[in-house]
Amino acid sequence: LLSQMGPDALLTMILRKHPSQRSAEDLEVIYEELLHVKAVAHLSTSVRKELAAVLVFETHGKAGTVLFSQGDKGTSWYIIWKGSVNVITHGKGLVAKLREGEDFGQLALLNDAPRAATIILREDNCHFLRVDKQDYIRILKDVEANTVRLEEHGHTVLVLEKSTTGSTEQGGAGGSSKYTVMSGTPEKILEHLLEKVKLDTNGNDTIDSCVGDFLLTHKIFMASSQLCPALQHQYPLMFTGSELEKADYSLAARQKVVKLLGQWVLLYGLLLKDDPVALDFLERLKKEVAADSRLSTMPKDQLRERRRTRLSENGNHSLSRQHSQQFDWFCNCEEPVGRLQPIRGQDKVLYEISRPDNIPITLMLPVNTSVQEVLSAVVKPGADYVLVKMNSMGDRAQLKLDSSAVSTGLGLNERLFMCTSGQVERLRPLKEQQGPEQGTADALEQMCSKDVASQLTHYDWELFTAMHEVELIYYVFGRSKFPGATTANLQRFVRRFNEVQYWVVTEVCLCEDLMKRAALLKKFIKIASVLKEQRNLNSFFAVMFGLSNSAVQRLYKTWERIPSKTKRIYCAYERLMDPSRNHRAYRLAVAKLSPPYIPFMPLLLKDMTFIHEGNKNYKDKLVNFEKMRLIAKTLKIVQGCRSQPYVHSSPTRGLADRMLLEAPSIRISTYSDSLPCRSPSNIRLYVQNLSVIDNQCRLTELSRTLEC
Ligand code: CMP
């Protein structure tokens, strides 16, 4: 009988056997056959052999049969042996047809997620090869470079790849979700991530780290005006009662959207209030959500969870929970605690503009005012006036009419000037741009290094926390691509870095007395030491950069007077600044730090620029999500740094105990605060109003007059 059977019939007969009953020859026949099946042809011999031993033959007679529905639990993977199926998703309907040799149903297994689509037979009498979940996981778990590609209407919409690195980070809650998004259309990535949002309320916040990455970076590839309708689309408004819609499915879908929105609001906080599209969308959904307690309690639960982790880490149990009866998306947003208010996109800021006649103009204008708007606020339309920025060296740049936010974007000691185009060449820097004539060594001498460092850190912390991490994206990708966005807080923080750096150089170069200068140098090394102890790496580097400025380095006589112990410490710190191997020394040091700490901001910006320039935003018209993940990783460093509150009143112990480096630190003697200039408020005033020379030529000249 066997010899009379055609090859197909023989194969079918073998496949119909229970897997445990297949002989070695049977397996050989199946294996041979699998070589021609598109879905498995790319797999290795051993994997195909293993599959041959577990495949189950499954047939269905009637077109229109639902094999499984979107939202179901996934139990098996299918290869189409004969026939074809329709792939249908909520809201979109038919998105793909799959034919002989193609496969489906792997997504739910790989991600431990519900079925992402409904599968319906397109014709009578379809045959499938089915692999059950455990077998699938066991056999395909270790397959290298496995890629899942989903199509809709003939175009690839999502590419997932097994992550080879950082699987613990990507893993989320289920250990099997090792497939990460490589690329996709914004909508499909969102749809996929929503599917993976877990709703179990056993307390732990199971939002996948991928969702966090998406929310942190969405503005790069999906503006709010695109994100909000897409979320609306994913939010089933009513139970339509059709065969596909199930009440519990649609509730789960709504809960997922609300959970994601809760996360979104937590992440951007009050920034979203500056985004009319986002605000409008949240407002519209608010009524819906408020009416259903299964939805309205979700953001609160998220907050409670966040607070709980914070509290247990701080050992502080006195924080009271906000009680608001009415549902409000923003109930979780904490107002900034520092004195320094973040500059927001809608805020007005001071524009100080100098003129050749030396009569300055001061205006309050929105942060993002364009040069054109600035000019028309001051001069009649059509007048031949231009806006120029000039630094202390006298380098001028005429500003383009369409550039904006020029006031908050000014560099250290840089100023705005307005004049006719004929006068540009004659503009000279203002006297105040040149910096001070006299140093403050005498005042500094009275202040204890520890107090100066503490006040520096306190101020840095305010500047650092006033900045939203998304400003890094705007800064690196170009702010003009993000309407309404501001980078003012980041720029202010970066400017401060330069200010502290030049403060050190200025003070040293303006101190004429050799002995005093040596004491000053020593003091700055002490300040660096405390800054490092306080884990303020930004100002630590700023002071160290200042000390390594050529105008300071060349003062041999001064350096000679530094005690050798202090010098050793300085040299140890210098090694930290070594840029070789991509700042390896620094990176190793920060890796050991626990929050809160202030990172070396210029390096973070450099890293982001590197990622941005080295990777395209789109790959084959799909969002290059790998790049977004890398960007998000840098932003998460910033988030991580400030995930704990900074306790500024006790900057020494506690923080110092967990010192970052092996390098020895200097013991700081405590002075009494008897002199008024030593009072904390005076020192604060001093560090917040540094006046510096940033003109390198002038600094070098000064240095030469000190020691030739
Ligand atoms: P799974 O989520 O387990 O169940 C539905 C399956 O449909 C899914 O795995 C994919 O294998 C398959 N599928 C094919 N195209 C798409 C698509 N565009 N969107 C979602 N699922 C798809």
Side-chain angles (χ1 to χ4, degrees):
L1 177 73
L2 278 179
S3 56
Q4 287 166 14
M5 279 177 122
D8 274 358
L10 173 67
L11 182 68
T12 310
M13 191 198 81
I14 293 170
L15 283 172
R16 282 183 197 275
K17 286 189 191 176
H18 189 271
S20 63
Q21 261 139 36
R22 290 173 194 157
S23 67
E25 293 90 72
D26 291 346
L27 294 180
E28 197 60 29
V29 174
I30 301 175
Y31 167 74
E32 288 292 325
E33 204 50 40
L34 289 182
L35 289 172
H36 311 295
V37 177
K38 190 176 144 197
V40 292
H42 67 285
L43 298 171
S44 70
T45 310
S46 64
V47 169
R48 276 199 307 267
K49 282 200 165 136
E50 285 200 71
L51 283 177
V54 298
L55 287 170
V56 178
F57 195 63
E58 184 175 315
T59 61
H60 293 272
K62 279 263 161 288
T65 307
V66 176
L67 211 52
F68 55 73
S69 300
Q70 184 168 1
D72 286 355
K73 204 167 169 321
T75 51
S76 323
W77 174 52
Y78 295 85
I79 299 167
I80 306 174
W81 185 248
K82 179 171 163 295
S84 59
V85 299
N86 281 337
V87 181
I88 292 162
T89 69
H90 287 291
K92 284 195 230 164
L94 179 65
V95 294
K97 294 172 193 156
L98 302 174
R99 297 181 177 77
E100 215 169 279
E102 296 184 306
D103 67 307
F104 56 88
Q106 74 289 59
L107 221 50
L109 310 186
L110 295 173
N111 291 318
D112 226 1
R115 293 293 191 194
T118 299
I119 303 289
I120 301 185
L121 302 201
R122 293 186 70 226
E123 46 193 285
D124 290 345
N125 203 19
C126 290
H127 297 179
F128 301 95
L129 300 178
R130 193 186 80 215
V131 178
D132 291 334
K133 184 170 176 173
Q134 297 90 319
D135 293 322
Y136 181 84
I137 299 286
R138 177 175 54 82
I139 298 170
L140 288 142
K141 178 173 86 209
D142 299 322
V143 172
E144 292 293 323
N146 212 347
T147 306
V148 176
R149 204 173 270 277
L150 295 187
E151 290 190 358
E152 285 180 6
H153 311 295
H155 297 287
T156 303
V157 288
L158 190 68
V159 181
L160 304 175
E161 208 164 272
K162 187 151 168 186
S163 58
T164 45
T165 53
S167 55
T168 47
E169 189 189 319
Q170 322 272 359
S176 56
S177 54
K178 283 185 218 124
Y179 274 71
T180 47
V181 178
M182 300 304 282
S183 59
T185 61
E187 285 82 6
K188 191 68 184 181
I189 295 176
L190 177 68
E191 185 185 313
H192 173 72
L193 293 178
L194 272 173
E195 230 125 49
K196 294 212 310 181
V197 170
K198 298 243 173 12
L199 290 170
D200 54 357
T201 44
N202 59 7
N204 50 24
D205 199 354
T206 43
I207 266 218
D208 193 274
S209 74
C210 244
V211 176
D213 295 346
F214 178 91
L215 291 175
L216 273 171
T217 58
H218 78 82
K219 301 226 165 156
I220 302 170
F221 54 86
M222 194 181 206
S224 305
S225 56
Q226 202 185 348
L227 175 64
C228 294
L231 280 167
Q232 180 75 68
H233 197 76
Q234 292 295 320
Y235 186 90
L237 277 182
M238 276 181 292
F239 170 52
T240 60
S242 82
E243 203 192 333
L244 287 176
E245 306 273 352
K246 292 179 182 170
D248 53 350
Y249 174 82
S250 86
L251 171 66
R254 279 196 294 244
Q255 285 180 317
K256 287 176 178 188
V257 172
V258 171
K259 190 156 183 178
L260 186 118
L261 285 173
Q263 195 77 8
W264 195 39
V265 175
L266 267 183
L267 197 57
Y268 289 96
L270 302 172
L271 276 188
L272 283 184
K273 291 203 169 177
D274 294 339
D275 181 342
V277 179
L279 202 59
D280 181 55
F281 173 64
L282 290 172
E283 279 302 312
R284 267 188 291 128
L285 218 58
K286 188 169 153 179
K287 254 215 340 260
E288 273 266 331
V289 175
D292 189 338
S293 65
R294 294 168 301 182
L295 300 173
S296 61
T297 51
M298 299 190 75
K300 276 208 194 111
D301 289 341
Q302 277 169 284
L303 175 72
R304 207 167 302 151
E305 180 51 35
R306 197 171 82 149
R307 289 239 165 116
R308 200 171 55 209
T309 33
R310 275 205 187 178
L311 288 184
S312 55
E313 282 168 24
N314 291 343
N316 170 3
H317 297 274
S318 63
L319 257 181
S320 66
R321 200 166 6 107
Q322 273 171 288
H323 273 290
S324 73
Q325 292 306 314
Q326 246 206 318
F327 172 76
D328 178 11
W329 289 107
F330 293 93
C331 66
N332 295 349
C333 295
E334 290 151 357
E335 285 285 343
V337 279
R339 250 177 313 223
L340 198 77
Q341 288 297 314
I343 303 167
R344 295 182 23 194
Q346 317 286 317
D347 287 349
K348 284 189 172 174
V349 293
L350 185 67
Y351 273 72
E352 278 185 284
I353 304 166
S354 303
R355 288 196 300 201
D357 60 9
N358 282 332
I359 302 170
I361 310 165
T362 52
L363 295 162
M364 289 300 282
L365 292 172
V367 187
N368 287 339
T369 304
S370 72
V371 168
Q372 172 81 71
E373 287 160 338
V374 175
L375 287 171
S376 40
V378 184
V379 290
K380 285 193 212 81
D384 169 42
Y385 273 88
V386 291
L387 204 60
V388 176
K389 67 174 180 182
M390 179 162 57
N391 63 18
S392 61
M393 270 80 81
D395 302 330
R396 313 178 195 90
Q398 191 170 324
L399 298 166
K400 292 205 186 78
L401 288 178
D402 61 348
S403 54
S404 60
V406 289
S407 176
T408 45
L410 290 175
L412 183 62
N413 290 352
E414 200 167 39
R415 298 286 182 274
L416 290 175
F417 294 83
M418 188 185 286
C419 62
T420 61
S421 41
Q423 292 171 318
V424 173
E425 289 301 312
R426 273 177 279 146
L427 288 175
R428 295 285 172 270
L430 307 173
K431 189 156 185 317
E432 55 163 83
Q433 287 181 266
Q434 306 293 347
E437 300 277 338
Q438 270 185 345
T440 58
D442 291 336
L444 263 174
E445 197 186 334
Q446 303 294 317
M447 301 178 203
C448 133
S449 311
K450 193 187 108 187
D451 295 341
V452 176
S454 294
Q455 292 299 343
L456 281 170
T457 299
H458 183 49
Y459 189 44
D460 278 347
W461 186 254
E462 290 202 345
L463 291 168
F464 180 49
T465 46
M467 171 197 98
H468 194 282
E469 52 271 16
V470 75
E471 288 184 42
L472 270 84
I473 292 185
Y474 303 152
Y475 187 87
V476 169
F477 285 70
R479 191 184 40 80
S480 58
K481 298 198 183 79
F482 307 91
T486 182
T487 48
N489 302 290
L490 171 60
Q491 284 169 316
R492 182 168 64 177
F493 188 46
V494 172
R495 201 160 44 237
R496 175 66 178 175
F497 178 89
N498 291 328
E499 191 170 63
V500 172
Q501 175 184 342
Y502 280 103
W503 164 60
V504 173
V505 193
T506 303
E507 292 303 334
V508 173
C509 290
L510 286 177
C511 184
E512 287 173 13
D513 183 276
L514 178 60
M515 298 308 280
K516 279 192 182 168
R517 197 160 61 241
L520 196 58
L521 210 54
K522 192 172 154 209
K523 179 156 225 144
F524 281 126
I525 299 174
K526 277 190 182 183
I527 291 174
S529 180
V530 188
L531 288 169
K532 184 172 72 69
E533 230 180 286
Q534 293 173 341
R535 292 184 277 174
N536 177 356
L537 301 172
N538 198 55
S539 274
F540 166 74
F541 271 88
V543 172
M544 287 298 290
F545 271 35
L547 291 171
S548 68
N549 187 294
S550 58
V552 176
Q553 283 293 309
R554 60 175 296 288
L555 300 169
Y556 294 109
K557 290 188 196 135
T558 317
W559 283 98
E560 258 169 27
R561 280 179 168 67
I562 302 290
S564 58
K565 191 177 156 219
T566 312
K567 230 185 225 155
R568 270 205 307 281
I569 291 164
Y570 174 76
C571 291
Y573 294 166
E574 250 188 337
R575 283 195 288 278
L576 253 191
M577 300 178 26
D578 179 2
S580 63
R581 293 203 280 161
N582 198 10
H583 291 270
R584 192 176 144 80
Y586 167 79
R587 288 178 203 275
L588 287 177
V590 275
K592 291 188 215 147
L593 280 187
S594 52
Y597 73 94
I598 307 179
F600 174 30
M601 210 57 198
L603 187 61
L604 276 182
L605 287 173
K606 189 183 139 203
D607 284 351
M608 281 237 339
T609 308
F610 201 77
I611 295 169
H612 174 49
E613 286 173 358
N615 299 279
K616 291 207 170 79
N617 287 357
Y618 294 89
K619 261 184 184 170
D620 308 327
K621 294 196 188 138
L622 298 176
V623 175
N624 179 3
F625 201 69
E626 248 191 311
K627 170 175 179 175
M628 304 309 150
R629 223 183 343 263
L630 289 174
I631 295 284
K633 209 171 152 190
T634 315
L635 301 194
K636 282 185 191 162
I637 294 177
V638 177
Q639 275 183 344
C641 288
R642 42 198 200 189
S643 57
Q644 297 290 319
Y646 176 72
V647 192
H648 100 102
S649 51
S650 56
T652 38
R653 285 288 72 103
L655 293 181
D657 290 343
R658 292 180 277 167
M659 258 196 46
L660 67 149
L661 286 164
E662 293 76 30
S665 72
I666 297 174
R667 246 198 45 228
I668 284 88
S669 49
T670 33
Y671 299 87
S672 75
D673 282 345
S674 56
L675 283 171
C677 61
R678 289 180 190 168
S679 76
S681 56
N682 258 324
I683 300 179
R684 185 180 322 129
L685 216 61
Y686 174 84
V687 302
Q688 294 190 6
N689 292 286
L690 302 177
S691 166
V692 307
I693 305 171
D694 69 339
N695 182 339
Q696 189 64 40
C697 299
R698 187 163 163 230
L699 289 166
T700 307
E701 251 170 55
L702 283 169
S703 171
R704 288 219 177 95
T705 56
L706 294 175
E707 295 179 27
C708 50

